[in-house]
Amino acid sequence: NTTAEPEVNALAEYALEQFGGIHVMFNNAGIAGVGDAWVDPVELWHRVMDVNVFGVVYGIRAVLPIMQQQGVGHIVSTASHAGLNGAPGIAPYVASKHAVVGLSESLFLELELLGSPVGASVLCPEFVQTDLMGKEPEILDSPMAQFINETLAAGVAGGIPASEVAAHVVAAVKAGRFWILTHDSTRE
């Protein structure tokens, strides 16, 4: 969405004015985009990529120059376990989260290569108790999409608490660690 980048830039400017600096950016917006990726209108892909990929891009672009100038900062971007593996029925989500892993890794390597004081991490949780499914339709036309919708809703409801994920993120930022893997099964 073409209005998102100016809004994120305005948020960064506001934070800078209010707090005098930006030390941590947490790119965490995301939608599941449940539907039939191969039959539904291609707008499904655009909507998921706009939020899940370009939201991260806009966040990095808004704060990286500020952090570089102030000589300190850390950028954390939320991908997903789905950014490390495939999954049936949610191809746009999987592709978007693979993109977040890749662009985060590129950012991390560039910052390391330049000897930057700014760090980067990627968060790859499995199911977490969030409102990820809050904007998804409850009933879908496609049997695959309906099955995935119900599976994801059940997974999110049974996921780990967001506070547990937050503790992993804080520990990783303090340690300057790139990978933030919240579940033992992902670490394996």
Side-chain angles (χ1 to χ4, degrees), residues 11-36:
L11 176 63
E13 288 300 319
Y14 178 78
L16 196 55
E17 290 168 11
Q18 291 296 307
F19 304 109
I22 300 174
H23 295 90
V24 177
M25 174 60 157
F26 188 34
N27 294 308
N28 191 48
I31 59 172
V34 176
D36 189 326

Side-chain angles (χ1 to χ4, degrees), residues 64-127:
L64 184 58
I66 295 167
M67 290 177 172
Q68 293 278 39
Q69 184 176 23
Q70 68 191 15
V72 66
H74 201 98
I75 298 169
V76 179
S77 298
T78 301
S80 168
H81 178 76
L84 305 172
N85 299 290
I90 53 171
Y93 181 81
V94 168
S96 73
K97 294 306 183 173
H98 271 74
V100 171
V101 169
L103 70 87
S104 297
E105 195 165 18
S106 293
L107 174 64
F108 174 81
L109 293 170
E110 289 172 15
L111 294 171
E112 289 284 307
L113 182 67
L114 297 172
S116 174
V118 178
S121 299
V122 67
L123 171 61
C124 297
E126 291 183 31
F127 287 117

Side-chain angles (χ1 to χ4, degrees), residues 81 123-132 152-169 180-187:
H81 178 76
L123 171 61
C124 297
E126 291 183 31
F127 287 117
V128 180
Q129 295 169 5
T130 67
D131 69 346
L132 173 69
L152 290 176
V156 167
I160 65 174
S163 59
E164 190 175 323
V165 175
H168 282 281
V169 171
I180 308 172
L181 307 175
T182 59
H183 292 73
D184 290 339
S185 53
T186 303
R187 283 188 208 94

Side-chain angles (χ1 to χ4, degrees), residues 132-165:
L132 173 69
M133 301 304 292
K135 292 193 165 94
E136 299 297 329
E138 290 186 29
I139 305 296
L140 295 150
D141 294 336
S142 155
M144 175 58 80
Q146 186 62 39
F147 170 75
I148 295 302
N149 197 40
E150 292 167 6
T151 302
L152 290 176
V156 167
I160 65 174
S163 59
E164 190 175 323
V165 175

